[in-house]
Every structure is written in C-alpha cells, then in structure tokens.
Short mmCIF file of all heavy atoms in Angstrom, two decimals:
data_model
loop_
_atom_site.label_atom_id
_atom_site.label_comp_id
_atom_site.label_asym_id
_atom_site.label_seq_id
_atom_site.Cartn_x
_atom_site.Cartn_y
_atom_site.Cartn_z
N TRP A 1 -10.37 -5.16 12.03
CA TRP A 1 -9.03 -5.72 12.36
C TRP A 1 -8.25 -4.70 13.10
O TRP A 1 -7.56 -5.05 14.06
CB TRP A 1 -8.36 -5.93 10.96
CG TRP A 1 -6.86 -6.22 11.14
CD1 TRP A 1 -6.26 -7.34 11.63
CD2 TRP A 1 -5.75 -5.41 10.66
NE1 TRP A 1 -4.86 -7.18 11.59
CE2 TRP A 1 -4.52 -6.08 11.00
CE3 TRP A 1 -5.73 -4.08 10.04
CZ2 TRP A 1 -3.24 -5.48 10.71
CZ3 TRP A 1 -4.50 -3.49 9.75
CH2 TRP A 1 -3.30 -4.24 10.23
N ILE A 2 -8.31 -3.32 12.79
CA ILE A 2 -7.39 -2.41 13.41
C ILE A 2 -7.98 -2.01 14.82
O ILE A 2 -7.17 -1.55 15.67
CB ILE A 2 -7.23 -1.18 12.43
CG1 ILE A 2 -6.06 -0.42 12.94
CG2 ILE A 2 -8.55 -0.31 12.63
CD1 ILE A 2 -5.54 0.63 11.98
N GLY A 3 -9.18 -2.21 15.09
CA GLY A 3 -9.73 -1.95 16.38
C GLY A 3 -9.95 -0.47 16.68
O GLY A 3 -10.34 0.37 15.77
N SER A 4 -9.61 -0.07 17.84
CA SER A 4 -9.66 1.39 18.30
C SER A 4 -8.54 2.13 17.66
O SER A 4 -7.42 2.35 18.21
CB SER A 4 -9.57 1.44 19.77
OG SER A 4 -10.55 0.75 20.40
N ALA A 5 -8.76 2.67 16.56
CA ALA A 5 -7.81 3.32 15.69
C ALA A 5 -7.63 4.84 15.92
O ALA A 5 -8.66 5.48 16.40
CB ALA A 5 -8.00 3.18 14.21
N ARG A 6 -6.48 5.39 15.78
CA ARG A 6 -6.29 6.87 15.90
C ARG A 6 -6.09 7.27 14.39
O ARG A 6 -5.66 6.49 13.57
CB ARG A 6 -4.93 7.21 16.68
CG ARG A 6 -5.04 6.96 18.16
CD ARG A 6 -4.74 5.51 18.45
NE ARG A 6 -4.27 5.30 19.88
CZ ARG A 6 -4.17 4.15 20.49
NH1 ARG A 6 -4.47 3.02 19.77
NH2 ARG A 6 -3.80 4.13 21.67
N SER A 7 -6.34 8.46 14.08
CA SER A 7 -6.28 9.05 12.76
C SER A 7 -5.17 10.15 12.72
O SER A 7 -5.34 11.22 13.43
CB SER A 7 -7.57 9.61 12.17
OG SER A 7 -8.60 8.51 12.19
N TYR A 8 -4.16 9.99 12.02
CA TYR A 8 -3.13 11.12 11.69
C TYR A 8 -2.16 10.56 10.77
O TYR A 8 -2.34 9.37 10.35
CB TYR A 8 -2.50 11.66 12.96
CG TYR A 8 -1.55 10.80 13.69
CD1 TYR A 8 -0.23 10.68 13.32
CD2 TYR A 8 -1.99 9.97 14.78
CE1 TYR A 8 0.58 9.87 14.06
CE2 TYR A 8 -1.10 9.25 15.53
CZ TYR A 8 0.17 9.15 15.13
OH TYR A 8 1.05 8.40 15.80
N THR A 9 -1.16 11.28 10.43
CA THR A 9 -0.26 10.87 9.44
C THR A 9 0.60 9.62 9.76
O THR A 9 1.15 8.89 8.93
CB THR A 9 0.66 12.00 8.86
OG1 THR A 9 1.33 12.41 10.02
CG2 THR A 9 -0.09 13.02 8.20
N GLY A 10 0.65 9.33 11.04
CA GLY A 10 1.51 8.18 11.51
C GLY A 10 2.58 8.43 12.43
O GLY A 10 2.53 9.39 13.24
N LEU A 11 3.64 7.66 12.39
CA LEU A 11 4.75 7.78 13.26
C LEU A 11 5.73 8.69 12.68
O LEU A 11 6.04 8.64 11.47
CB LEU A 11 5.29 6.36 13.52
CG LEU A 11 4.37 5.38 13.92
CD1 LEU A 11 5.00 3.94 14.09
CD2 LEU A 11 3.71 5.69 15.30
N PRO A 12 6.44 9.54 13.52
CA PRO A 12 6.36 9.63 14.91
C PRO A 12 5.09 10.40 15.40
O PRO A 12 4.44 11.13 14.56
CB PRO A 12 7.60 10.43 15.20
CG PRO A 12 7.93 11.14 14.10
CD PRO A 12 7.50 10.29 12.91
N LYS A 13 4.72 10.34 16.61
CA LYS A 13 3.54 10.84 17.10
C LYS A 13 3.36 12.41 17.08
O LYS A 13 2.25 12.92 17.15
CB LYS A 13 3.24 10.30 18.55
CG LYS A 13 2.98 8.76 18.53
CD LYS A 13 2.56 8.42 19.90
CE LYS A 13 2.27 6.89 19.90
NZ LYS A 13 1.90 6.38 21.25
N GLU A 14 4.53 12.99 17.09
CA GLU A 14 4.43 14.42 17.07
C GLU A 14 3.97 15.11 15.74
O GLU A 14 3.73 16.28 15.71
CB GLU A 14 5.81 15.08 17.49
CG GLU A 14 6.94 14.68 16.57
CD GLU A 14 7.71 13.39 17.16
OE1 GLU A 14 7.03 12.66 17.94
OE2 GLU A 14 8.82 13.12 16.68
N ASP A 15 3.97 14.22 14.69
CA ASP A 15 3.50 14.79 13.44
C ASP A 15 2.00 14.48 13.23
O ASP A 15 1.68 13.37 12.94
CB ASP A 15 4.43 14.06 12.36
CG ASP A 15 4.11 14.58 10.91
OD1 ASP A 15 3.09 15.52 10.87
OD2 ASP A 15 4.72 14.17 9.95
N HIS A 16 1.20 15.49 13.35
CA HIS A 16 -0.27 15.24 13.33
C HIS A 16 -0.84 15.86 12.09
O HIS A 16 -2.09 16.04 12.00
CB HIS A 16 -0.88 15.68 14.57
CG HIS A 16 -0.63 14.86 15.73
ND1 HIS A 16 -1.55 14.66 16.71
CD2 HIS A 16 0.54 14.17 16.15
CE1 HIS A 16 -1.03 13.86 17.67
NE2 HIS A 16 0.18 13.48 17.30
N GLN A 17 -0.07 16.33 11.06
CA GLN A 17 -0.62 16.96 9.94
C GLN A 17 -1.35 15.94 8.97
O GLN A 17 -0.84 14.89 8.69
CB GLN A 17 0.34 17.80 9.17
CG GLN A 17 0.99 18.83 10.01
CD GLN A 17 0.03 19.80 10.44
OE1 GLN A 17 -0.73 20.26 9.68
NE2 GLN A 17 0.11 20.25 11.73
N PRO A 18 -2.54 16.35 8.49
CA PRO A 18 -3.23 15.33 7.50
C PRO A 18 -2.50 15.14 6.22
O PRO A 18 -1.81 16.13 5.79
CB PRO A 18 -4.68 16.09 7.32
CG PRO A 18 -4.33 17.51 7.59
CD PRO A 18 -3.30 17.47 8.69
N HIS A 19 -2.46 13.90 5.78
CA HIS A 19 -1.85 13.61 4.47
C HIS A 19 -2.60 14.30 3.35
O HIS A 19 -3.95 14.08 3.33
CB HIS A 19 -1.57 12.21 4.31
CG HIS A 19 -0.71 11.95 3.18
ND1 HIS A 19 -0.95 12.04 1.81
CD2 HIS A 19 0.64 11.51 3.09
CE1 HIS A 19 0.06 11.75 1.06
NE2 HIS A 19 1.03 11.42 1.82
N PRO A 20 -2.01 14.97 2.39
CA PRO A 20 -2.78 15.56 1.40
C PRO A 20 -3.41 14.72 0.35
O PRO A 20 -4.39 15.03 -0.32
CB PRO A 20 -1.80 16.43 0.64
CG PRO A 20 -0.46 15.79 0.86
CD PRO A 20 -0.58 15.24 2.23
N GLU A 21 -3.03 13.45 0.27
CA GLU A 21 -3.51 12.49 -0.78
C GLU A 21 -4.38 11.34 -0.23
O GLU A 21 -5.18 10.80 -0.86
CB GLU A 21 -2.34 11.84 -1.67
CG GLU A 21 -1.59 13.01 -2.38
CD GLU A 21 -0.41 12.40 -3.12
OE1 GLU A 21 -0.29 11.13 -3.18
OE2 GLU A 21 0.36 13.09 -3.79
N TYR A 22 -4.11 10.90 1.00
CA TYR A 22 -4.89 9.64 1.54
C TYR A 22 -4.83 9.78 2.98
O TYR A 22 -4.11 10.50 3.71
CB TYR A 22 -4.14 8.37 1.02
CG TYR A 22 -2.58 8.32 1.13
CD1 TYR A 22 -2.02 8.22 2.44
CD2 TYR A 22 -1.86 8.51 0.02
CE1 TYR A 22 -0.57 8.18 2.45
CE2 TYR A 22 -0.47 8.45 0.08
CZ TYR A 22 0.19 8.33 1.42
OH TYR A 22 1.57 8.29 1.43
N SER A 23 -5.69 9.00 3.61
CA SER A 23 -5.95 8.98 5.01
C SER A 23 -5.20 7.77 5.66
O SER A 23 -5.05 6.79 5.02
CB SER A 23 -7.43 8.92 5.43
OG SER A 23 -7.96 7.69 5.06
N VAL A 24 -4.69 8.01 6.91
CA VAL A 24 -3.96 7.02 7.57
C VAL A 24 -4.56 6.81 8.96
O VAL A 24 -4.86 7.75 9.69
CB VAL A 24 -2.49 7.36 7.67
CG1 VAL A 24 -1.73 6.27 8.49
CG2 VAL A 24 -1.83 7.61 6.34
N VAL A 25 -4.78 5.54 9.32
CA VAL A 25 -5.22 5.21 10.75
C VAL A 25 -4.22 4.17 11.30
O VAL A 25 -3.70 3.42 10.52
CB VAL A 25 -6.74 4.77 10.89
CG1 VAL A 25 -7.72 5.79 10.42
CG2 VAL A 25 -6.91 3.50 9.90
N TRP A 26 -4.14 4.21 12.64
CA TRP A 26 -3.10 3.31 13.11
C TRP A 26 -3.60 2.85 14.59
O TRP A 26 -4.54 3.49 15.22
CB TRP A 26 -1.72 4.00 13.35
CG TRP A 26 -1.81 5.24 14.21
CD1 TRP A 26 -2.19 6.50 13.74
CD2 TRP A 26 -1.51 5.35 15.63
NE1 TRP A 26 -2.21 7.34 14.90
CE2 TRP A 26 -1.71 6.73 15.93
CE3 TRP A 26 -1.02 4.33 16.42
CZ2 TRP A 26 -1.48 7.09 17.27
CZ3 TRP A 26 -0.77 4.90 17.92
CH2 TRP A 26 -1.03 6.13 18.18
N ASN A 27 -2.94 1.79 15.09
CA ASN A 27 -3.30 1.35 16.48
C ASN A 27 -1.98 0.63 16.94
O ASN A 27 -1.53 -0.40 16.31
CB ASN A 27 -4.45 0.27 16.38
CG ASN A 27 -4.88 -0.12 17.79
OD1 ASN A 27 -4.03 -0.03 18.76
ND2 ASN A 27 -6.04 -0.55 17.92
N ASP A 28 -1.37 1.12 17.93
CA ASP A 28 -0.19 0.62 18.56
C ASP A 28 -0.37 -0.01 19.92
O ASP A 28 0.45 -0.13 20.90
CB ASP A 28 0.81 1.73 18.62
CG ASP A 28 0.55 2.88 19.52
OD1 ASP A 28 -0.60 2.92 20.04
OD2 ASP A 28 1.44 3.76 19.60
N ASP A 29 -1.72 -0.40 20.17
CA ASP A 29 -2.04 -1.13 21.48
C ASP A 29 -1.43 -2.49 21.67
O ASP A 29 -1.17 -3.02 22.70
CB ASP A 29 -3.49 -1.13 21.72
CG ASP A 29 -4.10 0.20 21.94
OD1 ASP A 29 -3.33 1.15 22.28
OD2 ASP A 29 -5.34 0.43 21.73
N ASP A 30 -1.18 -3.24 20.48
CA ASP A 30 -0.67 -4.54 20.51
C ASP A 30 0.79 -4.51 20.22
O ASP A 30 1.43 -3.43 19.94
CB ASP A 30 -1.38 -5.40 19.47
CG ASP A 30 -2.94 -5.46 19.80
OD1 ASP A 30 -3.31 -5.64 20.96
OD2 ASP A 30 -3.72 -5.41 18.82
N ASP A 31 1.40 -5.69 20.23
CA ASP A 31 2.87 -5.82 20.07
C ASP A 31 3.21 -5.40 18.62
O ASP A 31 4.27 -4.84 18.40
CB ASP A 31 3.32 -7.28 20.25
CG ASP A 31 3.21 -7.57 21.80
OD1 ASP A 31 3.24 -6.65 22.65
OD2 ASP A 31 3.15 -8.85 22.11
N ILE A 32 2.25 -5.65 17.65
CA ILE A 32 2.52 -5.37 16.31
C ILE A 32 1.76 -4.08 15.89
O ILE A 32 0.39 -4.10 16.15
CB ILE A 32 2.11 -6.61 15.34
CG1 ILE A 32 2.86 -7.81 15.68
CG2 ILE A 32 2.32 -6.08 13.82
CD1 ILE A 32 2.56 -8.98 14.75
N ILE A 33 2.38 -3.03 15.58
CA ILE A 33 1.59 -1.85 15.18
C ILE A 33 0.76 -2.09 13.87
O ILE A 33 1.32 -2.61 12.97
CB ILE A 33 2.58 -0.68 14.99
CG1 ILE A 33 3.31 -0.36 16.31
CG2 ILE A 33 1.75 0.61 14.55
CD1 ILE A 33 4.39 0.62 16.14
N LYS A 34 -0.53 -1.67 14.03
CA LYS A 34 -1.43 -1.84 12.78
C LYS A 34 -1.56 -0.50 12.16
O LYS A 34 -1.94 0.56 12.80
CB LYS A 34 -2.65 -2.47 13.16
CG LYS A 34 -2.58 -3.80 13.76
CD LYS A 34 -4.06 -4.37 14.20
CE LYS A 34 -3.78 -5.72 14.90
NZ LYS A 34 -5.18 -6.22 15.39
N ILE A 35 -1.35 -0.38 10.87
CA ILE A 35 -1.54 0.88 10.17
C ILE A 35 -2.27 0.54 8.84
O ILE A 35 -2.10 -0.37 8.13
CB ILE A 35 -0.17 1.50 9.71
CG1 ILE A 35 0.70 1.68 11.05
CG2 ILE A 35 -0.35 2.76 8.95
CD1 ILE A 35 2.15 2.09 10.74
N ILE A 36 -3.31 1.39 8.53
CA ILE A 36 -4.13 1.31 7.35
C ILE A 36 -4.02 2.64 6.52
O ILE A 36 -4.16 3.72 7.09
CB ILE A 36 -5.54 1.02 7.57
CG1 ILE A 36 -5.69 -0.29 8.40
CG2 ILE A 36 -6.38 0.97 6.32
CD1 ILE A 36 -7.19 -0.39 8.86
N ILE A 37 -3.59 2.51 5.27
CA ILE A 37 -3.62 3.67 4.35
C ILE A 37 -4.65 3.44 3.38
O ILE A 37 -4.76 2.51 2.60
CB ILE A 37 -2.17 3.79 3.63
CG1 ILE A 37 -1.06 3.94 4.54
CG2 ILE A 37 -2.22 4.88 2.58
CD1 ILE A 37 0.30 4.02 3.98
N ASN A 38 -5.67 4.42 3.41
CA ASN A 38 -6.76 4.40 2.50
C ASN A 38 -6.64 5.35 1.41
O ASN A 38 -6.56 6.58 1.61
CB ASN A 38 -8.05 4.86 3.40
CG ASN A 38 -8.39 3.65 4.33
OD1 ASN A 38 -8.59 2.53 4.08
ND2 ASN A 38 -8.48 4.10 5.62
N ILE A 39 -6.53 4.82 0.21
CA ILE A 39 -6.35 5.71 -0.96
C ILE A 39 -7.81 5.99 -1.53
O ILE A 39 -8.56 5.05 -1.66
CB ILE A 39 -5.39 5.01 -2.03
CG1 ILE A 39 -4.03 4.58 -1.46
CG2 ILE A 39 -5.24 5.76 -3.35
CD1 ILE A 39 -3.05 4.05 -2.30
N PRO A 40 -8.05 7.17 -1.97
CA PRO A 40 -9.35 7.58 -2.33
C PRO A 40 -9.74 6.99 -3.70
O PRO A 40 -10.91 7.29 -4.07
CB PRO A 40 -9.37 9.11 -2.37
CG PRO A 40 -7.86 9.47 -2.60
CD PRO A 40 -7.14 8.30 -2.03
N GLU A 41 -8.77 6.37 -4.43
CA GLU A 41 -9.10 5.82 -5.80
C GLU A 41 -8.17 4.69 -6.07
O GLU A 41 -7.16 4.66 -5.47
CB GLU A 41 -9.05 6.83 -6.94
CG GLU A 41 -7.56 7.39 -7.04
CD GLU A 41 -7.39 8.51 -8.10
OE1 GLU A 41 -8.51 8.84 -8.82
OE2 GLU A 41 -6.42 9.12 -8.24
N ASN A 42 -8.61 3.78 -6.95
CA ASN A 42 -7.68 2.73 -7.24
C ASN A 42 -6.57 3.13 -8.15
O ASN A 42 -6.78 3.58 -9.31
CB ASN A 42 -8.43 1.61 -8.01
CG ASN A 42 -7.54 0.51 -8.43
OD1 ASN A 42 -6.55 0.14 -7.81
ND2 ASN A 42 -7.99 -0.33 -9.34
N ARG A 43 -5.16 3.19 -7.50
CA ARG A 43 -4.14 3.58 -8.25
C ARG A 43 -3.26 2.44 -8.75
O ARG A 43 -2.07 2.60 -8.98
CB ARG A 43 -3.23 4.58 -7.48
CG ARG A 43 -4.07 5.81 -7.15
CD ARG A 43 -3.37 6.76 -6.26
NE ARG A 43 -4.07 7.98 -5.96
CZ ARG A 43 -3.74 8.91 -5.18
NH1 ARG A 43 -2.46 8.87 -4.54
NH2 ARG A 43 -4.47 9.91 -4.89
N GLY A 44 -3.90 1.17 -8.70
CA GLY A 44 -3.11 0.08 -9.11
C GLY A 44 -2.09 -0.36 -8.20
O GLY A 44 -1.86 0.22 -7.14
N GLY A 45 -1.42 -1.57 -8.44
CA GLY A 45 -0.43 -2.06 -7.56
C GLY A 45 0.77 -1.07 -7.35
O GLY A 45 1.19 -0.89 -6.25
N SER A 46 1.17 -0.45 -8.32
CA SER A 46 2.27 0.51 -8.32
C SER A 46 1.89 1.75 -7.51
O SER A 46 2.79 2.10 -6.61
CB SER A 46 2.74 0.90 -9.76
OG SER A 46 1.77 1.69 -10.35
N GLY A 47 0.69 2.30 -7.60
CA GLY A 47 0.31 3.39 -6.71
C GLY A 47 0.22 2.93 -5.31
O GLY A 47 0.61 3.65 -4.40
#
C-alpha cells in the first residue's frame, strides 16, 4: 500500500532521529501522505 517508503520519525523532514519505541515509514509522493507506524508488540487499542 505505501509503495516506495522512506524510513524516519516522520514530518517535518528535518527530524531524522529514530523513534525509541517503534518504526515509522512514510510516502508523500501522492496527494494523500501515507504513514505506517509499526509497533513491536501488540499494545491493544489504547496503545
């Protein structure tokens, strides 16, 4: 779904530090920006 994704903490682009708890990938090539946050364990709906 996300296609050619970039990996970093997200927007704004000048912030490239890795997130300590989960990974984030994004793609802003289309009109709607696509972002995926991958959590390393199931933390339930609230997490």
Side-chain angles (χ1 to χ4, degrees):
W1 170 70
I2 202 169
S4 301
R6 292 84 158 168
S7 296
Y8 66 87
T9 55
L11 306 176
K13 292 183 178 180
E14 57 268 20
D15 183 0
H16 286 215
Q17 297 301 314
H19 193 283
E21 296 181 4
Y22 45 75
S23 65
V24 179
V25 293
W26 60 278
N27 186 338
D28 61 358
D29 290 339
D30 299 322
D31 292 337
I32 301 175
I33 298 173
K34 300 176 180 179
I35 303 169
I36 300 173
I37 298 176
N38 292 301
I39 299 181
E41 61 183 356
N42 178 20
R43 297 181 184 174
S46 62

